[in-house]
């Protein structure tokens, strides 16, 4: 049996099923947000965990997961992020919702290996103009949602709507060059 990957940071997940699934694959401690019912006590616990060991936010790639991620980021803006694509988080049974608990061992390990940390206050960062995003077909137009989804996977910034995309690109300091490189790959896959 191979040795499990050990995670230093505390991983923030939505619930018990996510914790159970993660512990099948890696050696880690988790904090559960109890879904979108995240409260002040849990936020305080996450804030303390960030001070002590650091945290990795690893929520489901759906509306609720993004809402939780956003709530945590308000309290712990320098938290690290692990993302799963919607495709990799699809349930085996119809009718179940997307979730970390449905991901393969490989997908979970890959997401944790490719953890990203937002960067703030960078003088040399040049914001990507909205027009560039329009030109790439990421905002409005046919297949823009599909393009954003593939781009989020490629850049490991998660799925976003148009408004969130602009914020995520800024938060993770994605350059025009990185965007172009990622979009070349997205266009190839369409």
């Amino acid at each position: 049996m191979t040795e499990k990957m050990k995670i230093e940071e505390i991983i923030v997940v939505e619930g018990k099923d996510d914790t159970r699934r993660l512990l099948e694959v890696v050696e880690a401690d988790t904090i559960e947000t109890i879904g979108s019912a995240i409260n002040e006590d849990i936020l305080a616990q996450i804030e303390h965990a960030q001070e002590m060991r650091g945290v990795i936010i690893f929520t489901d790639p759906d509306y609720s997961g993004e809402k939780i991620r956003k709530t945590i980021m308000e309290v712990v803006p320098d938290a690290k992020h692990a993302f799963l694509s919607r495709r990799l988080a699809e349930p085996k049974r119809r009718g179940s919702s997307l979730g970390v608990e449905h991901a393969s061992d490989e997908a979970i390990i890959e997401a944790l290996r490719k953890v990203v940390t937002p960067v703030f206050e960078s003088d040399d960062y040049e914001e990507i103009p909205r027009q560039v995003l329009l030109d790439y077909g990421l905002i409005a137009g046919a297949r823009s949602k599909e393009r954003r989804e593939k781009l989020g996977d490629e850049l490991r910034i998660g799925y976003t709507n148009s408004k969130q995309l602009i914020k995520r690109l800024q938060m993770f300091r994605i350059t025009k060059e990185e965007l172009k490189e990622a979009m070349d790959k997205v266009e190839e896959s369409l």
Side-chain angles (χ1 to χ4, degrees):
M1 191 173 125
T2 58
E3 198 172 315
K4 287 183 183 177
M5 181 167 97
K6 287 185 173 94
I7 307 294
E8 169 64 27
E9 297 89 348
I10 296 170
I11 303 174
V12 179
V13 295
E14 291 182 47
K16 288 187 196 84
D17 291 338
D18 298 326
T19 292
R20 178 192 47 73
R21 182 70 187 105
L22 281 177
L23 296 180
E24 291 172 0
V25 183
V26 297
E27 200 175 300
D29 294 315
T30 64
I31 293 174
E32 296 164 4
T33 67
I34 314 163
S36 54
I38 189 167
N39 61 36
E40 293 302 317
D41 290 342
I42 293 169
L43 287 171
Q45 192 180 0
I46 294 169
E47 197 171 20
H48 181 67
Q50 175 69 2
E51 291 167 13
M52 301 311 287
R53 290 176 43 196
V55 296
I56 298 171
I57 304 171
F58 198 13
T59 55
D60 298 343
D62 58 11
Y63 175 80
S64 180
E66 284 304 315
K67 188 173 181 236
I68 294 165
R69 189 181 294 274
K70 202 171 169 183
T71 301
I72 296 168
M73 285 171 52
E74 288 173 13
V75 177
V76 186
D78 54 343
K80 294 179 180 177
H81 298 263
F83 293 99
L84 273 177
S85 70
R86 296 168 73 85
R87 182 180 52 80
L88 294 174
E90 283 180 351
K92 310 296 177 259
R93 289 190 329 233
R94 289 178 55 83
S96 297
S97 58
L98 292 171
V100 170
E101 74 268 21
H102 303 300
S104 68
D105 293 2
E106 297 77 23
I108 289 170
I109 288 168
E110 184 72 3
L112 290 170
R113 276 204 176 112
K114 292 182 173 179
V115 162
V116 288
T117 309
V119 181
F120 301 95
E121 297 180 29
S122 177
D123 295 336
D124 59 350
Y125 177 70
E126 189 181 326
E127 207 171 287
I128 297 170
R130 183 178 171 82
Q131 186 59 50
V132 170
L133 303 179
L134 280 163
D135 293 345
Y136 279 127
L138 293 164
I139 299 175
R143 301 180 83 180
S144 62
K145 179 180 178 182
E146 184 182 1
R147 280 188 172 86
R148 284 193 310 275
E149 194 168 321
K150 288 180 181 290
L151 179 68
D153 293 346
E154 190 61 42
L155 293 173
R156 298 187 324 272
I157 61 172
Y159 172 74
T160 60
N161 63 29
S162 301
K163 200 172 176 182
Q164 291 168 327
L165 175 62
I166 295 166
K167 288 180 182 172
R168 286 269 170 89
L169 292 172
Q170 291 170 354
M171 183 170 88
F172 291 105
R173 297 296 187 240
I174 305 296
T175 64
K176 280 185 191 174
E177 294 74 30
E178 290 168 322
L179 178 64
K180 183 194 178 320
E181 214 173 280
M183 281 308 298
D184 289 346
K185 291 178 184 173
V186 166
E187 290 303 327
E188 276 176 33
S189 72
L190 290 174

